[in-house]
Amino acid sequence: MSDWRSYDGIADRYDGVWFARFEAVARHMGELLPPRANDNVLDIGTGTGIVPATLGDMTQASRLAVGCDRSAAMLLRARARVAQLRVLVADATALPFQSESFDLATASFVLSHVRDYLRALAEALRILKPSGLLAVSSWAPPSDPYSSAWNECLAEAISKPEAERAMAEVAPWEGHFSQEGHLESALSQAGFSVVCSDAVKVESAFTVEQFLEDRELS
């Protein structure tokens, strides 16, 4: 039986639900990064390659662009989307790269899924050059009526403790990093200097059908 937490089974449907939201955040992330050429760039948890594709000019100007993820099916879509992107299956807590190999690393909506997020940040720090940059993102607390209604219905259907247990399996730090200041604190604890922190408003104008598809994939 396949692991229900794996992204392999939803790779072909993932972009239809998530692309627009992740692209908006990646675009803003790129606006905050200084223009640089000939960098070695790593996207941790690249999924279908949304970040490298959105940071197109930066990706094309890089000397080496790499995307890693635990899902091989997602990586196949990333490689098809970004021609110059080199992809490999890898765990964020044990990156298979030499120390000080990259100038820039990105990890968009990744840390909340990693049980040992401090180890993942330590790995990111290790593979970055002393002058390297790390750009990360996380969700703020959901404030739309859809999510509130869904959580209430789910708690009634399978009980609140069971719903919380399932969420902890796939995104154990989602709630933690949604709180203001927690992401910055984790970066500081890992040894990074937080240069810039910003918020991006992501539009979520769902139909009921789209929201249910979103929940099914999540």
Side-chain angles (χ1 to χ4, degrees), residues 62-97:
S62 64
R63 183 187 304 112
L64 173 67
V66 181
C68 67
D69 200 282
R70 293 182 63 181
S71 170
M74 300 282 274
L75 288 173
L76 287 175
R77 301 188 73 85
R79 187 169 60 181
R81 167 171 280 145
V82 185
Q84 68 271 35
L85 186 69
R86 298 186 182 185
V87 301
L88 77 161
V89 175
D91 193 310
T93 62
L95 296 173
F97 306 108

Side-chain angles (χ1 to χ4, degrees), residues 149-172:
W150 172 264
N151 290 335
E152 292 174 5
C153 291
L154 191 62
E156 290 182 8
I158 65 172
S159 81
K160 185 176 181 179
E162 184 62 16
E164 291 174 347
R165 185 200 66 80
M167 174 59 75
E169 285 288 319
V170 293

Side-chain angles (χ1 to χ4, degrees), residues 23-174:
E23 181 189 36
V25 175
R27 191 183 313 114
H28 191 71
M29 186 183 291
E31 293 170 354
L32 297 176
L33 293 170
R36 298 155 63 122
N38 298 317
D39 278 354
N40 290 337
V41 180
L42 172 65
D43 185 33
I44 302 168
T46 197
T48 59
I50 296 174
V51 172
T54 304
L55 304 180
D57 291 342
M58 187 177 300
T59 302
Q60 292 173 15
S62 64
R63 183 187 304 112
L64 173 67
V66 181
C68 67
D69 200 282
R70 293 182 63 181
S71 170
M74 300 282 274
L75 288 173
L76 287 175
R77 301 188 73 85
R79 187 169 60 181
R81 167 171 280 145
V82 185
Q84 68 271 35
L85 186 69
R86 298 186 182 185
V87 301
L88 77 161
V89 175
D91 193 310
T93 62
L95 296 173
F97 306 108
Q98 293 183 354
S99 299
E100 301 184 8
S101 298
F102 292 90
D103 302 278
L104 170 66
T106 55
S108 190
F109 302 109
V110 172
L111 289 180
S112 62
H113 295 279
V114 181
R115 195 165 298 279
D116 191 352
Y117 68 82
L118 283 176
R119 184 176 174 184
L121 287 174
E123 277 291 274
L125 185 64
R126 179 186 65 80
I127 59 91
L128 281 170
K129 297 176 182 179
S131 60
L133 298 174
L134 174 67
V136 298
S137 63
S138 64
W139 293 112
S143 57
D144 60 281
Y146 293 98
S147 296
S148 298
W150 172 264
N151 290 335
E152 292 174 5
C153 291
L154 191 62
E156 290 182 8
I158 65 172
S159 81
K160 185 176 181 179
E162 184 62 16
E164 291 174 347
R165 185 200 66 80
M167 174 59 75
E169 285 288 319
V170 293
W173 298 104
E174 186 91 11

Side-chain angles (χ1 to χ4, degrees), residues 144 146-147 150 206-215:
D144 60 281
Y146 293 98
S147 296
W150 172 264
F206 293 122
T207 65
V208 172
E209 290 76 13
Q210 288 171 328
F211 180 79
L212 291 176
E213 185 178 11
D214 173 294
R215 293 296 85 192

